[in-house]
Amino acid sequence: MPRMNGSILVGLAIAGTIGALAYPVVYSYPHRDDAAKAAAVTGETVNTQWGPLTATDRDLIVRVRLAGLWELPAGQQAMTRSTNPAVKEAANHLIVGHNDLDKRVRTISAQLNVPLPSQPNDQQQGFLKAMTDASAADYDKVWANLLRTAHGKIFPAIAAVRNQTRNTLVRQLASDANQTVLDHITILEKTGQIDFEAIAEAAAGPSASPTGPPPPVAGVLPPAAPPVEPTGNTPGKSKPSPTTPGVVNTNRPEAKDPNTVVQGG
């Protein structure tokens, strides 16, 4: 019975955390353009040599920094507390990925004069505390689900900025962050600890609207879809980016040393 109660508590903790992370996403979706609109009205968009810098752009810079402030220590903690090789591999990805991103975000902050936080926010400190307080039996599941949920939350935010920013530095940061976050999501899922049911339930909030074709009917085959392919003599010399299924290629040029960047230039 104690073991069952412990599992129930872990499940409730994970569900509560996912819900807490999902609520701002669900609430903010209808207001996703508010920051950009407010910046345009109040003059919060500033011109730089790399293009206009909006409040939304600056928000992404800060969020990438905040992610590293708690996820890198979380990775270091798992390297010492977990005995699961898959969890340790995920922890290693977190350490390497956020060390790289932090160099990039500190360089960009210096170039664009965007101040950065120096410690995790209250919510993130709560996540670290939850990991620290987790029992040995529950640690891997608590650790992996907290991190997977957080990565799932920021993933669409990065894509939105990547789509709409007019600043070349922010666009590159969004591309790098997208690559790293997808790598972390992939490697966290490989731990076998992720509660996909809880994540799906949290994502299906009140603003979700079903789209796409109706559910399949047993015994009824849908019509075959025609191929999407070029017609005529259209040349096709390029190839899809090489990668191994289930692996995200994060190779990119080494990050600059932020200490060598001239502020504002």
Side-chain angles (χ1 to χ4, degrees), residues 1-245:
M1 183 64 71
R3 185 175 183 178
M4 182 180 295
N5 289 339
S7 299
I8 292 173
L9 289 174
V10 171
L12 290 173
I14 291 171
T17 299
I18 291 173
L21 283 167
Y23 175 77
V25 178
V26 171
Y27 172 78
S28 65
Y29 184 78
H31 309 281
R32 61 194 180 279
D33 296 326
D34 287 0
K37 292 176 181 177
V41 172
T42 63
E44 290 180 2
T45 295
V46 296
N47 291 321
T48 75
Q49 62 180 292
W50 299 280
L53 181 71
T54 68
T56 304
D57 294 335
R58 297 193 295 275
D59 180 65
L60 178 67
I61 293 171
V62 171
R63 292 179 71 176
V64 171
R65 167 68 170 177
L66 281 170
L69 287 175
W70 84 274
E71 291 173 21
L72 194 152
Q76 292 177 312
Q77 184 190 84
M79 292 294 285
T80 59
R81 283 203 59 184
S82 179
T83 58
N84 185 329
V87 170
K88 285 182 176 289
E89 182 182 11
N92 182 266
H93 277 239
L94 290 174
I95 294 169
V96 172
H98 283 292
N99 182 52
D100 174 82
L101 276 184
D102 192 66
K103 292 177 183 177
R104 298 176 192 279
V105 80
R106 286 188 292 125
T107 297
I108 289 174
S109 77
Q111 292 172 299
L112 297 175
N113 294 329
V114 177
L116 295 176
S118 296
Q119 63 181 11
N121 61 32
D122 290 344
Q123 185 185 48
Q124 293 165 337
Q125 291 179 37
F127 295 158
L128 288 170
K129 185 177 186 304
M131 293 174 180
T132 301
D133 293 345
S135 67
D138 298 333
Y139 180 79
D140 289 347
K141 183 170 288 293
V142 171
W143 183 89
N145 280 276
L146 283 169
L147 286 160
R148 170 60 178 81
T149 304
H151 281 80
K153 178 185 175 184
I154 198 173
F155 199 39
I158 294 170
V161 174
R162 176 63 180 80
N163 174 55
Q164 69 189 34
T165 186
R166 292 168 289 162
N167 188 286
T168 57
L169 293 182
V170 174
R171 188 176 301 121
Q172 185 59 55
L173 176 65
S175 294
D176 293 338
N178 179 78
Q179 195 177 45
T180 298
V181 170
L182 181 56
D183 172 62
H184 292 175
I185 286 174
T186 303
I187 202 70
L188 285 164
E189 290 174 350
K190 285 186 175 182
T191 64
Q193 302 293 325
I194 305 304
D195 187 344
F196 290 104
E197 291 295 330
I199 291 174
E201 289 175 6
S207 68
S209 57
T211 58
V217 178
V220 178
L221 296 178
V228 177
E229 56 187 8
T231 58
N233 296 319
T234 304
K237 297 182 179 179
S238 65
K239 295 181 180 181
S241 301
T243 185
T244 302

